[in-house]
Amino acid sequence: METVIRSIIFYYAVINIVAFFMYGADKRKAKNSEWRISESSLIFVSVAGGAFGALLGMKVFHHKVRKVKFQIVIPLMVIIHLAAVSSIAVWMNKLT
């Protein structure tokens, strides 16, 4: 059981760090007129668990903050992942 919890924590830590740096990299690429990271990739990393890092990246780098799609999807994914992690924690607590 401890291994599962540690794996979930590790996964969320890594995916959120990746999301944060993806938003930073895309902002840098936008400023330098370089090849960009696709919006679908930025959304996907949020759906895959990196919503907290994505939201933080949006705030810190002021990136994608005017896009309605990102204004809706990223906070929604934060709520969904909070609910999912909370549900998993409650379920695992009942197992012990």
Side-chain angles (χ1 to χ4, degrees):
M1 193 67 70
E2 251 182 68
T3 305
V4 173
I5 294 169
R6 286 183 186 185
S7 297
I8 291 169
I9 292 169
F10 179 77
Y11 174 78
Y12 269 100
V14 169
I15 195 74
N16 280 285
I17 291 167
V18 167
F20 178 79
F21 283 109
M22 281 177 69
Y23 277 75
D26 193 50
K27 179 67 174 194
R28 181 185 48 78
K29 289 175 181 231
K31 284 183 174 181
N32 295 332
S33 299
E34 296 175 5
W35 193 273
R36 305 276 304 276
I37 298 170
S38 70
E39 286 188 353
S40 61
S41 294
L42 294 173
I43 294 286
F44 176 77
V45 74
S46 173
V47 172
F52 303 101
L55 187 61
L56 185 61
M58 286 175 66
K59 301 286 184 190
V60 169
F61 302 114
H62 196 73
H63 191 51
K64 301 290 186 188
V65 293
R66 294 185 187 166
K67 297 250 180 181
V68 175
K69 178 178 14 177
F70 286 84
Q71 290 174 351
I72 294 169
V73 171
I74 303 305
L76 181 62
M77 287 299 110
V78 168
I79 292 166
I80 289 170
H81 283 284
L82 275 174
V85 169
S86 298
S87 297
I88 291 169
V90 167
W91 176 72
M92 292 183 92
N93 194 27
K94 287 181 181 180
L95 291 178
T96 58

